[in-house]
DNA sequence: ATATTTTTATCGTTTTATGAGAAAATCTCA
DNA sequence: TGAGATTTTCTCATAAAACGATAAAAATAT
């Protein structure tokens, strides 16, 4: 094992199903000697990525809370977009969750969300949870922002069976990009509808989406156009802010403010 | 440079004041060759800790959002405490922010918070922001949960001048522990009052606090006892939940659920 | 199209990581 | 309290990886 993966493969073990690990368990899972792991874990504890708990077990450490904040304060998508999620909610006249999501490897991940107080339902697009690329308006809108080559490759990897229908599948994303809206019903959560607008900043290399999740039974021909309009106009504003940030970057570059 | 610090000292550069860095800037800041940094950064980008942006600059990557979620789903303090922050808010009859904070190295950090919708003020105890140990009720309540030796050492490090008053300063923490409440006025933010209850789980090694931040001008002799009571009883419940989690841990240990 | 900048690759040298085993520290439980 | 068990750290020889100077390639700017 080499480089940063020595640490990251330890980190990936810690999830909801396995909140704590002993060195012996890690040693078995990763096929690495205990003496090496004790050293690595000691380093990670010192860095606050892990911390020790009862029964000689280890759990995730608080460093991630600090860096989540740093990201919120520095990431151009979160900076530009999250301030619009609450106003967007107020433009939508039914229980709703608004979501800012982005490409995350071969998944899509929500990076900011707001929920109207009257919303009782739960959506699977939780903050920080990797979600499939090809299901749900939120994901499809993200995918639609990518170059054709990349979309094709991702479709192929996600469903290696449908080699022939590739072009047919791709057509959907062309359409989303053209219309500026994707709407899907129950593809992620039964009874819920996702409506999403693609979000892009070519300059910053950002491929994302802005979406509203509502209950299928609350959606009607009066509300739908309001949601479409609210998403589209908000998305345009967010892209405007991102463009501004990109400009700031460029301008401040020679100054090297440090 | 050695071990995990090769990576963490790069990460620590990225904050609100410096959201993006070029390799040349990092090279100057860390006195490390560009060729080494290009290799390290490539690894960190592959791990989603960093990502590249315009003008050959790099910014923090989305991994931290994912691990923030993992922490929320696995950390015993957050798991036990965050569900009480909203109910606690409802027991307090004035604009208020409720906070779960914990020891974080030589600082105190908020790991969960709720804000009443009517609250207009901002508190410095933002989620994920390291705060001084010796100022504010939130911090003092955390400190009060530590063993005497550790408190003394931390006081000494924080204010190396007051060698003589150590015992006097320590008395405050004894008192907080005895009474179960700390209240401070304007020590962190002018015009705001912090009221905090210590939170402890010896079994899990957790030293934390539960606090309510309110406006000084809204606080009176009718409200204060209500806040004290709400904090104390909620703190006891959270400690109960943590104790339960500790027990689960112990029980599930031989089973090694994997 | 050319010049400049950024990024990757190569490679000899230096440094660090690895893992087995010993030692120390901590925990368990009578 | 103390013997036994477990967990963690330490030591050290060997193997492996990191470092950084330089060259090559790729990407950007002019």
């Amino acid at each position: 094992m080499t480089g940063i993966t020595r640490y990251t493969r330890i980190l990936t073990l810690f999830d909801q199903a396995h909140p704590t690990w002993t060195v012996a368990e890690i040693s078995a899972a990763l096929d690495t000697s205990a003496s090496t792991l004790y050293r690595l874990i000691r380093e990670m504890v010192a860095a606050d990525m892990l911390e020790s708990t009862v029964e000689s077990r280890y759990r995730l450490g608080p460093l991630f809370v600090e860096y989540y904040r740093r990201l919120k304060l520095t990431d151009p998508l979160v900076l530009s977009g999250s301030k619009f999620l609450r106003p967007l909610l107020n433009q939508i006249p039914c229980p709703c969750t608004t979501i800012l999501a982005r490409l995350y490897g071969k998944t899509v991940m929500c990076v900011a969300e707001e929920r109207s107080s009257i919303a009782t339902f739960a959506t699977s697009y939780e903050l920080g949870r990797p979600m499939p690329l090809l299901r749900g308006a939120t994901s499809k809108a993200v995918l639609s922002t990518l170059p054709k080559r990349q979309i094709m490759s991702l479709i192929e990897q996600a469903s290696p069976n449908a080699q022939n229908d590739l072009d047919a599948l791709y057509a959907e994303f062309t359409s989303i990009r053209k219309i500026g809206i994707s709407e899907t019903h129950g593809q992620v959560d039964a009874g819920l509808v996702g409506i999403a607008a693609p979000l892009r900043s070519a300059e910053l290399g950002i491929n994302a989406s802005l979406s509203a999740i509502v209950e299928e039974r609350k959606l009607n021909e009066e509300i739908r156009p309001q949601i479409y309009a609210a998403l589209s106009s908000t998305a345009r504003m967010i892209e405007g802010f991102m463009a501004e940030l990109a400009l700031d970057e460029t301008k401040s570059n020679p100054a090297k403010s440090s």
Side-chain angles (χ1 to χ4, degrees), chain A:
Chain A
M1 203 47 45
T2 169
I4 206 173
T5 57
R6 277 181 298 150
Y7 304 102
T8 52
R9 69 193 194 122
I10 294 175
L11 283 180
T12 54
L13 296 173
F14 293 80
D15 58 18
Q16 187 168 24
H18 306 283
T20 66
W21 289 76
T22 64
V23 171
E25 288 164 4
I26 297 175
S27 176
L30 302 182
D31 192 30
T32 301
S33 79
S35 86
T36 293
L37 286 173
Y38 272 113
R39 186 165 27 74
L40 294 178
I41 289 170
R42 181 150 22 99
E43 291 179 41
M44 293 170 84
V45 168
D48 289 308
M49 289 183 179
L50 294 180
E51 61 186 4
S52 69
T53 176
V54 279
E55 305 265 324
S56 56
R57 310 185 76 81
Y58 293 85
R59 62 173 180 245
L60 289 177
L63 171 112
F64 299 104
V65 185
E66 181 183 357
Y67 275 86
Y68 169 61
R69 174 175 183 263
R70 290 190 185 213
L71 188 115
K72 283 198 291 185
L73 293 173
T74 59
D75 184 81
L77 173 63
V78 178
L79 277 178
S80 306
S82 50
K83 57 173 170 271
F84 290 107
L85 293 181
R86 175 64 53 183
L88 176 59
L89 219 46
N90 296 332
Q91 292 177 61
I92 295 175
C94 65
C96 181
T97 298
T98 51
I99 284 175
L100 215 53
R102 54 160 286 166
L103 190 63
Y104 181 49
K106 290 170 188 171
T107 69
V108 166
M109 186 170 75
C110 166
V111 294
E113 69 176 336
E114 289 284 347
R115 179 186 306 261
S116 57
S117 51
I118 44 171
T120 55
F121 60 86
T123 160
S124 294
Y125 277 94
E126 298 161 27
L127 182 66
R129 179 176 180 190
M131 296 293 287
L133 258 174
L134 297 180
R135 289 211 316 278
T138 302
S139 290
K140 287 179 169 176
V142 172
L143 203 53
S144 79
T145 66
L146 299 172
K148 178 169 185 179
R149 169 168 310 183
Q150 203 175 342
I151 296 179
M152 294 302 241
S153 150
L154 286 166
I155 293 177
E156 213 171 337
Q157 287 173 50
S159 47
N161 41 332
Q163 289 288 359
N164 310 329
D165 315 317
L166 276 186
D167 284 312
L169 288 169
Y170 177 71
E172 186 179 358
F173 297 102
T174 315
S175 153
I176 293 171
R177 184 169 358 190
K178 201 185 304 171
I179 302 171
I181 283 284
S182 168
E183 175 175 335
T184 65
H185 291 231
Q187 290 194 2
V188 178
D189 294 300
L192 296 186
V193 175
I195 308 178
L199 268 183
R200 222 168 153 265
S201 168
E203 315 84 58
L204 293 172
I206 285 171
N207 301 94
S209 76
L210 174 71
S211 47
I213 317 288
V214 300
E215 290 163 287
E216 190 159 26
R217 61 192 171 84
K218 291 283 172 63
L219 191 64
N220 59 45
E221 290 316 311
E222 191 184 358
I223 289 181
R224 177 179 283 112
Q226 294 179 37
I227 298 181
Y228 278 35
L231 283 172
S232 299
S233 67
T234 307
R236 239 172 286 130
M237 285 195 285
I238 294 174
E239 287 183 337
F241 269 85
M242 290 197 291
E244 228 170 89
L245 283 181
L247 250 134
D248 289 356
E249 197 93 321
T250 304
K251 276 190 301 188
S252 74
N253 190 20
K256 260 189 193 174
S257 68
S258 107

